[in-house]
Amino acid sequence: MNLEEAMIFELDTIGPLNGKTYPANAPQMGLDGLPVTTPYIVFLSSFGREIRTLAGFTRNKSVNVDLNILTSDYPQLKDLTEQVMSVITSFPRRVIGDGGPFIQDLTYEDPTELYEALPALHRCNISLTFHL
């Protein structure tokens, strides 16, 4: 299980987001054949930057992830942001997912809240760096 799969596994433990965490963008239709509705998460991740020592590159790396929570109302955004941050901050010093990567540490920027007028959605962006 890679980092992205492990993140989806972990974030699926949050009731309203179960089965609604997507890499890159949310599909128009869910696996059930119905339109995807809020709330949901979309994320983008990098390949990562391998750590280099005097002996050369190690198997350890840092991976940047840009995670976005989308909801139709602001109170739900606040609640889900708190739940997502609780899950994410539990990652350091453990294996995430079902046999996924060991997270040595992680850092994150202050979550930024936005309102997207055209789709009429509230969004919280969280920039993360995983140290594997």
Side-chain angles (χ1 to χ4, degrees):
M1 180 174 274
N2 63 33
L3 176 62
E4 292 81 7
E5 293 165 336
M7 281 181 32
I8 291 169
F9 182 95
E10 295 283 342
L11 293 170
D12 273 356
T13 64
I14 300 170
L17 297 172
N18 188 310
K20 297 175 92 177
T21 300
Y22 307 104
N25 65 314
Q28 289 186 357
M29 304 298 272
L31 295 175
D32 56 7
L34 298 173
V36 171
T37 59
T38 61
Y40 58 86
I41 290 178
V42 293
F43 68 90
L44 292 170
S45 65
S46 69
F47 171 75
R49 183 178 59 251
E50 292 186 353
I51 306 300
R52 184 175 178 182
T53 67
L54 292 174
F57 286 98
T58 67
R59 294 184 55 160
N60 298 346
K61 63 182 177 178
S62 295
V63 179
N64 294 323
V65 174
D66 190 41
L67 185 139
N68 290 279
I69 305 165
L70 293 112
T71 67
S72 57
D73 73 43
Y74 187 68
Q76 185 179 40
L77 180 72
K78 296 297 272 187
D79 180 54
L80 288 176
T81 299
E82 185 176 333
Q83 291 181 61
V84 166
M85 290 306 299
S86 179
V87 168
I88 289 171
T89 57
S90 76
F91 289 177
R93 295 175 303 282
R94 73 177 179 94
V95 171
I96 65 170
D98 185 14
F102 179 81
I103 307 299
Q104 295 179 30
D105 198 8
L106 78 90
T107 57
Y108 62 90
E109 299 297 320
D110 188 26
T112 305
E113 296 173 354
L114 305 157
Y115 179 72
E116 303 288 345
L118 189 56
L121 295 176
H122 297 272
R123 176 168 62 103
C124 180
N125 174 261
I126 306 167
S127 295
L128 306 156
T129 302
F130 290 91
H131 305 283
L132 314 178

